[in-house]
Amino acid sequence: MHFKWNYTPSTTEQTNAAKELGEKLNMSPTLASLLIHRGITTESAAKRFFRPQLSDLINPFLMKDMDIAVDRLNDAMGRKERIMVYGDYDVDGCTAVALVYKFLRQFYSNIDYYIPDRYEEGYGVSKKAIDHAKDTEVKLIIILDCGIKANDEISYAKELGIDFIICDHHVPDEKMPPAVAILNPKRPDDTYPFKNLCGCGVGFKFMQAFAKNNNIPFSRLIPLLDFCAVSIAADLVPVVEENRILAFHGLKQLNQNPSIGLKAIIDICGLNGRELSMSDIIFKIGPRINASGRMENGRESVNLLVERDLPTALLEAKHIDEYNEKRKDVDRQMTDEANQIVERLESQKHQNSIVLYDEHWKKGIIGIVASRLTEIYYRPTIVITQDGELATGSARSVAGFDIYSAIKSCSDLLLNFGGHTYAAGLTLKWKDVKEFRIRLQQYVDEHIQPEQTEAILNIDALIDFKDITKKLHNDLKRFAPFGPGNQKPLFCTKNVFDFGTSKVVGREQEHIKLELVDSKSNNVMNGIAFGQSDSARYIKSKRSFDIAYTIEDNIFKRGAVQLQIEGIRPSEDE
């Protein structure tokens, strides 16, 4: 992918402020300037940023309907009603169900969980699930990470004498379902101060309120925070404010004392013995939790997450790992097919959006393929497959473009849709797919800005290799956890040279392992550039080039750093 490099130098005022803040914090002006660009301008604000406190979590009763939800749950438990914890089959839904179920089962036994089958029931609340609830005498369903648009299904449940408490974070319609309580900070009538919780985060707030109401010590909730960290990372919600607190302490829990199910996944991923980060969740842990829902049924992931016996959990984790390997094969095949379609459709390559459909594609994988195509072509992308007379689609977007609004503009063609700015799902009749494609692409053409179709590397600071000290690296780690809203700082060093030992590596010779020097120090820096082997010839030509990179731990050499190189370009004076 060709990137546009973007760097805005600090103003004189910002430079002076960074120098002053850096002196107070015993931190380099470079890193102090990163704080200032994040809106952190005082010593006290910096200390809150670096040491997020659980005591700063927002009072859960500020969320609309929270008191009603807690009262209904108390009533259910007091009357010994059967409770079902219901969730979506992705990482956010599975971790949310695991969190609520694990917490409540400590105090109540007449409770079970339910994950719908992606292929038989589809997304959200299904009539089959409600009928199952009726047959098993369920009186209360706590639904997590979905349900905000299930008006008809929840009306049906109400007729059967089943109440719903909705814990969701997706954008609601004007008319909301007839649930007993709807916990969703995105409700237009909700004044909860933080709007960007994930589904698992909303579930955590519900359990926090329940604990508070029943005089259960907050310390009983802390072991569940690892689920919050996994969900926040995998669902790509902003890692700021309340999410930062939950992610910070959730990662701490994940590293020090993870739940048995997550411990088994960590073991199967080969991540034992190292400090886990949000990236490890995104690329290793999350895909395995997702895999059972993509290939078979997400209930298997929840079984693992709530497991109490480690040997059993290790067997379940191995089984889910096998699903993940199968998922990779299907994913690779479908992405290749989709790429071939884009290549054949010459007009599609020059469109501002990509809408592809194929009747044979696997429903559980289309979201991954949409993500891949968005990365490759940097366009809002929707991938659609056939499901009987219906079509199911999954959408992904680029920075700054609201794909949910684009889909909503075609709502008259849709049977169902939901999601948020950067990811959404939809259902329509197969016969309407071509019309949907035309309408969607027209909307994108009219609303997308030219800069939103360019892949941009936003450089945080220009530094030299001599600036990359052990102290800078350690201070940089304090900025974690990273994610949307707090991206890992991207540095640029200009006029670097191959030390003479850089080489192409990888199964298909697609990566470059680099050893580099710059013109201002004798430091030799190790680096890895994934998927950038097309730059190898220039690097070996002994001419200078600029690199954009993040600073990482070298996992093969304790205490050393490695540059993860995101961009390579010839130096301007070449």
Side-chain angles (χ1 to χ4, degrees), residues 13-25 27-52 239-241 244 475-476 478-482 485-487 489:
E13 185 181 350
Q14 286 172 330
T15 301
N16 292 336
K19 187 179 178 205
E20 185 181 333
L21 184 60
E23 287 171 356
K24 289 177 181 174
L25 298 171
M27 179 177 283
S28 75
T30 298
L31 296 190
S33 73
L34 298 184
L35 290 174
I36 286 169
H37 285 298
R38 283 161 168 72
I40 299 161
T41 57
T42 65
E43 185 178 3
S44 60
K47 285 178 177 173
R48 283 197 305 276
F49 177 75
F50 288 133
R51 292 196 291 272
V239 188
V240 298
E241 300 177 47
R244 179 172 173 81
D475 284 345
L476 196 55
R478 297 169 65 197
F479 281 73
F482 298 112
N486 183 41
Q487 296 287 3

Side-chain angles (χ1 to χ4, degrees), residues 5 7 459 461-465 491-497 517-520 544-549 569-573:
W5 294 33
Y7 173 64
I459 310 293
L462 302 180
I463 61 174
D464 300 316
F465 285 170
F491 299 100
C492 174
T493 299
K494 295 190 170 185
N495 296 302
V496 305
F497 296 86
V517 292
D518 68 357
S519 55
K520 297 184 181 177
S544 70
F545 51 95
D546 304 339
I547 55 171
Y549 57 90
R569 69 178 186 186
S571 297
E572 289 178 1
D573 54 2

Side-chain angles (χ1 to χ4, degrees), residues 29 32 47 55 59 100 108 128 316 402 421 490 507 527 540 562:
K47 285 178 177 173
S55 57
N59 178 357
V100 171
Y108 193 68
K128 178 183 175 183
E316 291 172 339
D402 187 348
T421 303
L490 190 66
R507 185 184 299 171
K540 300 302 285 184
Q562 177 173 268

Side-chain angles (χ1 to χ4, degrees), residues 218-232:
F218 182 84
S219 58
R220 298 285 292 271
L221 287 160
I222 290 174
L224 302 167
L225 287 170
D226 52 4
F227 291 141
C228 289
V230 169
S231 181
I232 288 165

Side-chain angles (χ1 to χ4, degrees), residues 357-402:
Y357 50 90
D358 186 292
E359 61 192 44
H360 302 297
W361 283 341
K362 193 170 178 68
K363 189 160 64 166
I365 309 296
I366 55 176
I368 300 176
V369 176
S371 294
R372 298 261 191 272
L373 295 176
T374 303
E375 290 168 12
I376 294 166
Y377 298 102
Y378 211 74
R379 300 285 187 273
T381 299
I382 302 179
V383 178
I384 299 171
T385 188
Q386 190 169 8
D387 185 9
E389 293 182 358
L390 303 181
T392 299
S394 192
R396 299 293 184 270
S397 195
V398 295
F401 185 78
D402 187 348

Side-chain angles (χ1 to χ4, degrees), residues 250-283:
L251 270 178
K252 188 175 172 184
Q253 186 71 24
L254 192 66
N255 278 291
Q256 293 177 359
N257 189 23
S259 65
I260 285 170
L262 288 174
K263 185 176 173 59
I265 297 174
I266 290 165
D267 184 79
I268 223 81
C269 292
L271 294 173
N272 278 327
R274 54 180 275 195
E275 186 80 9
L276 299 175
S277 68
M278 300 292 266
S279 292
D280 292 316
I281 295 170
I282 292 167
F283 295 110

Side-chain angles (χ1 to χ4, degrees), residues 165-221:
I165 295 172
I166 297 173
C167 304
D168 204 349
H169 69 124
H170 296 100
V171 179
D173 284 336
E174 285 180 24
K175 185 182 178 185
M176 291 190 288
V180 170
I182 299 176
L183 307 178
N184 186 336
K186 290 194 177 81
R187 285 178 64 161
D189 57 347
D190 195 333
T191 57
Y192 191 75
F194 185 64
K195 301 295 181 187
N196 291 307
L197 291 167
C198 57
C200 187
V202 178
F204 179 83
K205 298 307 293 186
F206 183 22
M207 293 302 95
Q208 184 189 359
F210 172 79
K212 192 176 174 119
N213 180 262
N214 287 281
N215 297 314
I216 299 166
F218 182 84
S219 58
R220 298 285 292 271
L221 287 160

